[in-house]
Amino acid sequence: MNLLIHPTQELFGSTAVPGDKSISHRAAMFAALAEGRSHVRNFLPGGDCQATLGVLRGLGVAIEEISPSELSITGVGLHGLHEPAAPLDCVNSGTAMRLLAGLLAGQPFFSVLSGSSQLVKRPMGRVVEPLRQMGALIHGRQGGRLAPLAVQGTRLHGIDYTLPVASAQVKSALLLAGLYSDGLAIVRQPGPARDHTERMLAAMGAPIQTLGLVAISERPKQPLTPLDIAVPGDISSAAFLLAAGLLVPQSHLTITGVGVNPTRTGILDILQMMGANLRLENERDEAGEPVADLVVQHADLHGIEISGDLIVRAIDELPVLAVLATQAHGRTLVRDAAELRVKETDRIATVAAELHKLGAQVEERPDGFVIDGPVTLRSAPVWSHGDHRLAMALAVAGMVASGPVLVEEAACVSDSFPGFERVLQVLGVEMEDG
Ligand code: S3P
């Protein structure tokens, strides 16, 4: 599928975005470990989370899809997973593979985690290495640095580990392994990686503690209680609509029910620093996660410097931030973001390559980029590289280009934002798909 985006004059209206990807993965996995039936509403029916459901079914978990976004999951208990008869396909999902590596390391059976040609290129040593320090028996290509991963479940012991990079996926893998280990799993973070695992497991009665940037898990003495939750809207998906509302003149948008966990709101801070007209309304709490409606209006933006913890709290939003920076007055400098190079694609290289095609002034740096604006983007075909966040960022660029922008290979948007095209059309974007 390609998306042809036309220059857009005005965006107006109110919409929700699909459920948070990180929280949806965790809800499915942790519900599988509970004793009893969990009810999950607003589950993200995107490709990545569907992959997690497929893996859980392969491990013997019964999942009823009441609708694509409403699940009834019959938990098998902490010790009820079954040895899978076939490799477990994580498709494109790094979150699925890394969290599952931690979960499977302490099970009394053998399993293999595999995935798409994109996923088997992404670094797995960051999770395999500390799990091996806990006693895990995991093999993979290149000494365990790349999937497929073969996991021979075994008895684990505790660990006191300092993450070399702030990664919620690695933190979560170790905390999950800690539920099956003989000692504590103590994970020290260099920055505030998203904490959905800690919040959700604690809400289910698991012995999880957090002390500042340290998270600790241990073997539970009681079963996990089932979940009854509505997954908040994904702020990483909302970011594309916020960007569109800011860039397209005369826009006024409300995005309802968005998760605003402070480990995820770096993009809101960044937008405000750039001069955005943005406010939170109707702030509330759902299933231990803060939620709000986001209201945005068109504004003239200016360039800023971003580094450190702000990068950790906005890592998935940096592709669309790059598009915003092309329209902001002055220079935007992104540092400390080398992690972008190991996402679904090397997002420093792919963002720079595609924005260059539109005439943007982007300079690649080893750990980020420098963008000078404002520049009138031109009409040109661009390529998603099979990366959902790049496809959606380029669609936003198309709304403010001087002529139509064709985003090629855009079906990947449904990895995290199924229905993206429909939402854009309802808000007033002039576009065609096909
Ligand atoms: C995620 C953590 C982040 C993020 C990814 C989802 C998660 O990755 O980029 O999209 O759900 O834990 P890292 O943990 O590798 O930083």
Side-chain angles (χ1 to χ4, degrees):
M1 179 190 82
N2 297 329
L3 287 179
L4 183 67
I5 310 283
H6 294 280
T8 298
Q9 308 314 321
E10 177 185 358
L11 296 177
F12 186 79
S14 174
T15 186
V17 286
D20 187 272
K21 183 154 80 71
S22 294
I23 298 176
S24 294
H25 279 298
R26 286 157 174 82
M29 284 183 208
F30 304 167
L33 303 177
E35 214 130 282
R37 188 170 296 189
S38 288
H39 188 198
V40 183
R41 283 158 285 132
N42 204 35
F43 180 81
L44 172 64
D48 279 19
C49 295
Q50 295 289 341
T52 286
L53 297 186
V55 169
L56 293 172
R57 287 184 170 121
L59 291 163
V61 180
I63 301 171
E64 187 197 341
E65 291 180 57
I66 300 161
S67 77
S69 59
E70 187 175 356
L71 307 179
S72 172
I73 301 177
T74 307
V76 295
L78 281 157
H79 302 283
L81 297 174
H82 287 173
E83 182 171 79
L88 301 166
D89 187 359
C90 300
V91 192
N92 279 338
S93 176
T95 304
M97 184 169 282
R98 296 198 180 108
L99 268 63
L100 287 160
L103 174 60
L104 294 172
Q107 305 296 327
F109 55 71
F110 174 77
S111 55
V112 175
L113 290 165
S114 191
S116 68
S117 57
Q118 190 185 73
L119 182 57
V120 298
K121 293 191 192 92
R122 295 182 62 188
M124 292 298 145
R126 53 179 58 200
V127 61
V128 168
E129 204 252 314
L131 286 171
R132 282 178 177 161
Q133 288 180 30
M134 298 179 79
L137 301 173
I138 306 181
H139 292 280
R141 293 186 303 132
Q142 295 190 13
R145 284 197 291 276
L146 296 176
L149 300 178
V151 185
Q152 177 55 65
T154 189
R155 246 192 127 85
L156 303 176
H157 48 79
I159 189 171
D160 185 341
Y161 188 72
T162 301
L163 297 174
V165 290
S167 164
Q169 296 178 356
V170 180
K171 172 175 62 171
S172 301
L174 301 182
L175 293 175
L176 285 170
L179 301 180
Y180 296 89
S181 72
D182 288 336
L184 300 178
I186 304 173
V187 189
R188 301 174 194 273
Q189 315 170 70
R194 62 194 68 189
D195 64 358
H196 307 301
T197 294
E198 297 91 305
R199 285 173 186 254
M200 196 181 292
L201 282 177
M204 297 172 80
I208 302 278
Q209 298 170 58
T210 51
L211 304 155
L213 290 177
V214 184
I216 305 172
S217 72
E218 62 185 298
R219 193 191 291 276
K221 295 190 180 63
Q222 296 147 8
L224 301 185
T225 51
L227 292 167
D228 184 4
I229 65 163
V231 176
D234 197 329
I235 190 167
S236 298
S237 298
F240 300 103
L241 306 183
L242 293 176
L246 283 163
L247 294 184
V248 174
Q250 302 169 54
S251 293
H252 191 295
L253 297 180
T254 302
I255 310 159
T256 55
V258 181
V260 287
N261 177 316
T263 60
R264 298 286 299 282
T265 48
I267 185 64
L268 304 184
D269 296 346
I270 289 169
L271 294 177
Q272 261 145 358
M273 286 160 68
M274 295 177 85
N277 209 337
L278 175 70
R279 63 177 194 279
L280 274 62
E281 285 183 354
N282 201 7
E283 290 182 60
R284 54 207 188 265
D285 221 73
E286 264 175 35
E289 292 278 351
V291 173
D293 301 339
L294 306 179
V295 183
V296 70
Q297 269 171 272
H298 168 75
D300 281 330
L301 303 178
H302 53 82
I304 55 165
E305 284 192 25
I306 310 158
S307 60
D309 285 357
L310 209 41
I311 296 291
V312 177
R313 294 174 51 240
I315 190 74
D316 292 339
E317 288 68 73
L318 296 178
V320 76
L321 169 72
V323 173
L324 286 160
T326 68
Q327 303 306 300
H329 293 264
R331 173 163 285 194
T332 297
L333 172 61
V334 171
R335 287 191 285 123
D336 300 335
E339 271 297 285
L340 285 179
R341 295 206 180 270
V342 292
K343 294 297 177 188
E344 280 79 337
T345 59
D346 173 345
R347 286 185 176 154
I348 296 178
T350 53
V351 164
E354 298 311 308
L355 288 181
H356 277 151
K357 293 180 186 168
L358 298 175
Q361 289 184 24
V362 187
E363 186 198 317
E364 234 190 273
R365 295 269 172 94
D367 69 340
F369 37 73
V370 184
I371 300 181
D372 288 306
V375 161
T376 304
L377 300 176
R378 61 175 170 248
S379 170
V382 287
W383 176 36
S384 74
H385 296 250
D387 182 335
H388 53 131
R389 301 207 196 279
L390 183 57
M392 291 185 273
L394 293 168
V396 174
M399 296 173 204
V400 290
S402 58
V405 166
L406 181 71
V407 184
E408 290 174 341
E409 209 186 317
C412 54
V413 300
S414 66
D415 283 354
S416 62
F417 197 157
F420 176 68
E421 315 86 283
R422 262 196 324 282
V423 169
L424 293 191
Q425 269 164 341
V426 167
L427 296 177
V429 178
E430 291 160 38
M431 56 179 289
E432 293 146 52
D433 56 13

Coordinates of all heavy atoms in Angstrom, one line a residue, residues 369-403:
F369 N 20.8 14.2 15.0 CA 20.8 15.0 13.8 C 20.6 16.5 14.0 O 20.2 16.9 15.2 CB 19.7 14.6 12.8 CG 18.4 14.2 13.4 CD1 17.5 15.1 13.9 CD2 18.0 12.8 13.5 CE1 16.3 14.7 14.5 CE2 16.8 12.4 14.0 CZ 15.9 13.4 14.5
V370 N 21.0 17.3 13.0 CA 20.8 18.7 13.1 C 19.9 19.1 11.9 O 20.2 18.7 10.8 CB 22.2 19.4 12.9 CG1 22.1 20.9 13.1 CG2 23.3 18.9 13.8
I371 N 18.9 19.9 12.2 CA 18.0 20.3 11.2 C 17.8 21.8 11.2 O 17.6 22.4 12.3 CB 16.6 19.6 11.4 CG1 16.8 18.0 11.3 CG2 15.6 20.0 10.3 CD1 15.6 17.2 11.5
D372 N 17.9 22.4 10.0 CA 17.7 23.9 10.0 C 16.4 24.1 9.2 O 16.0 23.5 8.2 CB 18.8 24.5 9.2 CG 20.1 24.5 10.1 OD1 20.0 25.0 11.2 OD2 21.1 24.0 9.6
G373 N 15.6 25.1 9.8 CA 14.3 25.4 9.2 C 14.0 26.9 9.3 O 14.8 27.6 9.9
P374 N 12.9 27.3 8.8 CA 11.9 26.5 8.0 C 12.3 26.4 6.6 O 12.9 27.2 6.0 CB 10.6 27.3 8.2 CG 11.1 28.7 8.3 CD 12.4 28.7 9.0
V375 N 11.9 25.2 6.0 CA 12.2 24.9 4.6 C 10.9 24.5 4.0 O 10.1 23.8 4.6 CB 13.2 23.8 4.5 CG1 13.2 23.1 3.1 CG2 14.6 24.2 4.8
T376 N 10.6 25.0 2.8 CA 9.4 24.6 2.1 C 9.7 23.2 1.5 O 10.5 23.1 0.6 CB 9.0 25.5 0.9 OG1 8.8 26.8 1.5 CG2 7.7 25.1 0.3
L377 N 9.0 22.2 2.0 CA 9.2 20.8 1.5 C 8.6 20.7 0.1 O 7.6 21.2 -0.2 CB 8.6 19.8 2.5 CG 9.2 19.8 3.9 CD1 8.5 18.8 4.8 CD2 10.7 19.6 3.9
R378 N 9.3 19.9 -0.8 CA 8.8 19.7 -2.1 C 8.1 18.4 -2.3 O 8.2 17.5 -1.5 CB 9.9 19.9 -3.1 CG 11.0 18.8 -3.0 CD 12.1 18.9 -4.1 NE 13.2 18.1 -3.8 CZ 14.4 18.5 -3.5 NH1 14.7 19.8 -3.4 NH2 15.4 17.7 -3.2
S379 N 7.3 18.3 -3.4 CA 6.6 17.1 -3.8 C 7.6 16.1 -4.3 O 8.4 16.4 -5.2 CB 5.6 17.5 -4.9 OG 5.1 16.4 -5.4
A380 N 7.6 14.9 -3.7 CA 8.5 13.8 -4.2 C 8.0 12.5 -3.6 O 7.3 12.5 -2.6 CB 9.9 14.1 -3.7
P381 N 8.3 11.4 -4.3 CA 8.0 10.1 -3.7 C 9.0 9.8 -2.6 O 10.2 10.1 -2.7 CB 8.2 9.1 -4.8 CG 9.0 9.8 -5.9 CD 8.9 11.3 -5.6
V382 N 8.6 9.2 -1.4 CA 9.5 8.8 -0.4 C 9.2 7.4 0.0 O 8.1 6.9 -0.3 CB 9.3 9.8 0.9 CG1 9.9 11.1 0.6 CG2 7.9 9.9 1.3
W383 N 10.1 6.8 0.8 CA 9.9 5.4 1.1 C 10.0 5.2 2.6 O 10.8 5.7 3.3 CB 11.1 4.6 0.5 CG 11.1 3.1 0.8 CD1 10.1 2.3 0.9 CD2 12.3 2.4 0.9 NE1 10.5 1.0 1.2 CE2 11.9 1.0 1.2 CE3 13.7 2.6 0.9 CZ2 12.8 0.0 1.4 CZ3 14.6 1.6 1.1 CH2 14.2 0.3 1.4
S384 N 9.0 4.3 3.1 CA 9.0 4.1 4.6 C 10.1 3.2 5.1 O 10.3 3.1 6.3 CB 7.6 3.4 4.9 OG 7.7 2.0 4.5
H385 N 10.8 2.5 4.2 CA 11.8 1.5 4.6 C 11.1 0.4 5.4 O 11.8 -0.3 6.2 CB 12.9 2.1 5.4 CG 13.8 3.1 4.6 ND1 15.1 2.8 4.2 CD2 13.5 4.3 4.2 CE1 15.5 3.9 3.6 NE2 14.6 4.8 3.5
G386 N 9.8 0.2 5.4 CA 9.1 -0.8 6.1 C 9.0 -0.4 7.6 O 8.7 -1.2 8.5
D387 N 9.2 0.9 7.9 CA 9.2 1.3 9.3 C 8.0 2.2 9.6 O 7.8 3.3 9.0 CB 10.5 2.1 9.6 CG 10.6 2.6 11.0 OD1 9.6 2.8 11.7 OD2 11.8 2.9 11.4
H388 N 7.1 1.7 10.5 CA 5.8 2.3 10.7 C 5.9 3.8 11.1 O 5.2 4.7 10.6 CB 5.0 1.6 11.7 CG 5.7 1.3 13.0 ND1 5.1 1.6 14.3 CD2 6.9 0.8 13.3 CE1 5.9 1.2 15.2 NE2 7.0 0.7 14.7
R389 N 6.9 4.1 12.0 CA 7.0 5.5 12.5 C 7.5 6.4 11.4 O 7.2 7.6 11.3 CB 7.8 5.5 13.8 CG 7.1 4.7 14.9 CD 7.5 5.2 16.3 NE 7.2 4.1 17.2 CZ 6.0 3.9 17.7 NH1 4.9 4.6 17.3 NH2 5.8 2.9 18.6
L390 N 8.4 5.9 10.6 CA 8.9 6.7 9.5 C 7.8 7.0 8.5 O 7.6 8.1 8.0 CB 10.1 6.0 8.8 CG 10.7 6.8 7.7 CD1 11.2 8.1 8.2 CD2 11.9 6.0 7.1
A391 N 7.0 6.0 8.2 CA 5.8 6.1 7.2 C 4.9 7.2 7.7 O 4.5 8.1 6.9 CB 5.1 4.8 7.1
M392 N 4.6 7.2 9.0 CA 3.6 8.2 9.5 C 4.2 9.6 9.6 O 3.6 10.6 9.3 CB 3.0 7.7 10.8 CG 2.1 6.5 10.7 SD 1.3 6.0 12.2 CE 2.5 4.9 12.9
A393 N 5.5 9.7 9.9 CA 6.2 11.0 10.0 C 6.2 11.6 8.6 O 6.0 12.8 8.4 CB 7.6 10.8 10.5
L394 N 6.5 10.7 7.5 CA 6.5 11.3 6.2 C 5.1 11.7 5.7 O 5.0 12.6 4.9 CB 7.1 10.2 5.2 CG 8.6 9.9 5.5 CD1 9.0 8.6 4.7 CD2 9.5 11.1 5.1
A395 N 4.1 11.0 6.2 CA 2.7 11.4 5.8 C 2.5 12.8 6.4 O 1.9 13.7 5.7 CB 1.7 10.4 6.4
V396 N 3.0 13.1 7.6 CA 2.8 14.5 8.2 C 3.6 15.5 7.3 O 3.0 16.6 7.0 CB 3.3 14.5 9.7 CG1 3.2 15.9 10.2 CG2 2.4 13.6 10.5
A397 N 4.7 15.1 6.9 CA 5.5 16.0 6.0 C 4.7 16.4 4.8 O 4.7 17.5 4.3 CB 6.9 15.4 5.7
G398 N 4.0 15.4 4.2 CA 3.2 15.6 3.0 C 2.1 16.6 3.2 O 1.8 17.3 2.2
M399 N 1.6 16.7 4.4 CA 0.5 17.7 4.6 C 1.0 19.1 4.5 O 0.2 20.0 4.2 CB 0.0 17.5 6.1 CG -0.7 16.2 6.3 SD -1.1 16.0 8.1 CE -1.1 14.2 8.2
V400 N 2.3 19.4 4.7 CA 2.8 20.8 4.6 C 3.8 21.0 3.4 O 4.4 22.0 3.3 CB 3.4 21.2 5.9 CG1 2.3 21.4 7.0 CG2 4.5 20.3 6.4
A401 N 3.9 20.0 2.5 CA 4.8 20.1 1.4 C 4.1 21.0 0.3 O 2.9 21.3 0.4 CB 5.1 18.8 0.8
S402 N 4.8 21.4 -0.7 CA 4.3 22.3 -1.7 C 3.4 21.6 -2.7 O 2.7 22.2 -3.5 CB 5.4 23.1 -2.4 OG 6.3 22.1 -3.0
G403 N 3.5 20.2 -2.8 CA 2.7 19.4 -3.7 C 2.6 18.0 -3.1 O 3.1 17.8 -2.0

